[in-house]
Amino acid sequence: MAGWRPALATAAGVLLLAGCTSGPGDEPNAEGTPKKSSGASPSASASPVNEPYTLAEDRAPRTRAEAVEFVRQLVVRPDYFGAGYRKRDPFESDPAEWAVLGDDCLWRREALPDTVLASLTRAFELPEKGGKGPVYVSMTVTVHQDAVAARRDMAGSLEEALRCPEQQLNATDRVLGLFSRVDAFADGRSVISDDDLTETGDWAADGGKAHPFDWYKFRMGPITVAATARHGAGRTEAEDSTVTTDMGKGMTFVAASIDSRGKAGDADASPEPTETKGAGQ
């Protein structure tokens, strides 16, 4: 079984700090692009927040049509995950389907169950450059019927790594040595979301050399957000850590956007995050 990589623990800390702190230059600009950090120590300006990013059930989509509109209008930009990322082709999945891990530990696309209203996956890549292999990142936002259904989905995701520590992602890609961790943010977890899970392992394509694989998932009321990163070849440990951390930052922008839209009570409001939690405190 794969060990708990320092990179994943570092990214968890970044998610925590991004969710509860803000400083000049740390928030996304008007176009939703994360600005360059001012270089100040994030711990120096940390302001604890008691409430998590979430979405109240009475503000969440109630029908499949509303849920599809919600996930399609939610902006997820390539540069949320770092400089140089771009959309993959195909970019978006069918929101009437989601990925299911079978008893044979093979992932398949299947029609949504009655408890899920919509699920949309968007795919990004950092192209091969300078002898470093491409990085593949995916982000999935799922609207459940209610918070109970979302909690059950989180529990099922935790069970999957225990049931299948090796998983077949598609015809060529396989994940090895998955290790699950619950409550990665310890006492500070709730400033990010209502629940959270992380997994780490390795992935290999066509029987080739294995490279790091990361997976995060968190719940905001009846909404779950999951992201994966398949690291490319030729990267140092520090570069792999950056890939993991940047994926965590991208998830924070999406969480902030969902939270702000829920507070606005309008699926068309605040399509992109304009600040992180704790701004101005």
Side-chain angles (χ1 to χ4, degrees):
M1 177 177 292
W4 177 250
R5 292 206 314 276
L8 199 57
T10 300
V14 167
L15 273 169
L16 172 60
L17 289 169
C20 65
T21 67
S22 177
D26 287 336
E27 62 272 49
N29 61 22
E31 292 74 35
T33 305
K35 292 182 180 179
K36 186 178 293 186
S37 172
S38 62
S41 171
S43 60
S45 59
S47 298
V49 176
N50 294 325
E51 296 182 359
Y53 283 135
T54 191
L55 181 66
E57 287 195 30
D58 60 356
R59 296 294 180 92
R62 303 306 302 168
T63 68
R64 287 188 182 259
E66 291 174 354
V68 170
E69 183 180 16
F70 181 93
V71 295
R72 285 202 184 282
Q73 290 185 351
L74 186 66
V75 175
V76 184
R77 296 172 58 103
D79 53 7
Y80 280 9
F81 307 102
Y85 280 84
R86 67 187 184 191
K87 296 178 181 178
R88 294 192 70 192
D89 186 20
F91 173 53
E92 292 185 340
S93 67
D94 183 347
E97 299 178 345
W98 71 342
V100 176
L101 185 64
D103 293 337
D104 56 358
C105 298
L106 172 64
W107 285 96
R108 300 176 176 84
R109 301 288 301 178
E110 295 184 2
L112 298 177
D114 293 339
T115 57
V116 179
L117 302 180
S119 184
L120 184 66
T121 298
R122 289 169 168 141
F124 307 89
E125 68 177 340
L126 182 64
E128 180 179 4
K129 184 177 181 180
K132 302 181 190 302
V135 177
Y136 303 114
V137 172
S138 69
M139 172 79 74
T140 302
V141 179
T142 302
V143 182
H144 300 265
Q145 188 176 55
D146 50 37
V148 172
R151 286 198 298 267
R152 288 173 176 165
D153 180 52
M154 294 290 291
S157 294
L158 176 62
E159 183 271 338
E160 286 170 349
L162 300 175
R163 175 169 62 90
C164 294
E166 296 189 6
Q167 301 174 6
Q168 191 73 36
L169 300 180
N170 50 46
T172 60
D173 294 7
R174 187 173 184 83
V175 177
L176 313 168
L178 279 177
F179 173 81
S180 293
R181 182 181 177 103
V182 183
D183 195 14
F185 311 116
D187 293 338
R189 175 195 55 76
S190 62
V191 302
I192 302 299
S193 59
D194 297 313
D195 298 301
D196 51 75
L197 301 170
T198 62
E199 287 183 4
T200 181
D202 296 293
W203 75 283
D206 291 323
K209 184 178 178 180
H211 304 290
F213 174 86
D214 299 322
W215 176 88
Y216 292 157
K217 187 171 184 175
F218 58 74
R219 180 180 67 85
M220 303 172 62
I223 308 292
T224 56
V225 180
T228 65
R230 287 176 287 166
H231 298 226
R235 284 178 166 74
T236 65
E237 184 175 330
E239 290 170 328
D240 280 328
S241 180
T242 297
V243 168
T244 303
T245 301
D246 286 347
M247 184 182 74
K249 291 178 181 177
M251 294 189 76
T252 299
F253 292 133
V254 174
S257 182
I258 294 173
D259 181 80
S260 64
R261 290 172 64 173
K263 285 181 171 55
D266 184 349
D268 294 326
S270 301
E272 297 185 49
T274 56
E275 62 179 11
T276 51
K277 191 174 285 291
Q281 297 185 1

